[in-house]
Amino acid sequence: MRVARNQFGVPQYPEHDARRLFVLLSAVDLLERPTVSAIADLTGMEQQVIDQEMMKLREQFGVVLHKVGEIYHIESWGDVLQKDGVKRYLKAS
C-alpha cells in the first residue's frame, strides 16, 4: 500500500496508525528545536493533536519525553521501541 507524502517526503499515515506516532517521535529526534509548530510543519500533523500523541508515546510505548517551555526532549526511547527502527518510518517507502 502506497502512503501519501507531504512536501518534505514524510509519510502521511492514517489517523489511528501507530506509525504516525513513530513519525512524531522521529521528528522530535531530528529537529534542532522540536516545538509543536516545527513538528507540525515537518510531519503535517495538526498542532492541536501533537501533545495528545506525545502522551500516547509515553503511555503505550514507555517513551520518556519532556517538554521544557515549548521544546520537546527525548530522555529515553523506552524498552519497547528501538531508535533506528522507529526513525525509518520518517522516510518510509
Side-chain angles (χ1 to χ4, degrees), residues 11-31:
Q12 304 297 289
Y13 295 110
E15 189 172 322
H16 297 288
D17 191 318
R19 293 174 294 181
R20 279 176 53 99
L21 298 176
F22 302 160
V23 166
L24 185 64
L25 185 58
S26 297
V28 172
D29 187 65
L30 175 72
L31 292 166

Side-chain angles (χ1 to χ4, degrees), residues 21-93:
L21 298 176
F22 302 160
V23 166
L24 185 64
L25 185 58
S26 297
V28 172
D29 187 65
L30 175 72
L31 292 166
E32 184 175 319
R33 193 169 187 275
T35 63
V36 169
S37 178
I39 294 166
D41 287 345
L42 177 63
T43 64
M45 290 186 193
E46 296 180 19
Q47 288 187 23
Q48 307 87 280
V49 302
I50 290 177
D51 287 331
Q52 296 167 359
E53 299 294 276
M54 294 294 191
M55 185 58 69
K56 288 180 186 177
L57 282 163
R58 291 178 183 111
E59 292 174 353
Q60 296 177 14
F61 297 102
V63 174
V64 180
L65 286 165
H66 300 289
K67 189 175 182 185
V68 178
E70 296 296 315
I71 300 172
Y72 275 101
H73 169 74
I74 301 170
E75 181 178 317
S76 169
W77 290 72
D79 294 332
V80 176
L81 302 177
Q82 293 181 345
K83 182 178 180 176
D84 292 337
V86 170
K87 288 180 75 170
R88 282 188 277 258
Y89 285 97
L90 190 62
K91 295 288 184 183
S93 54

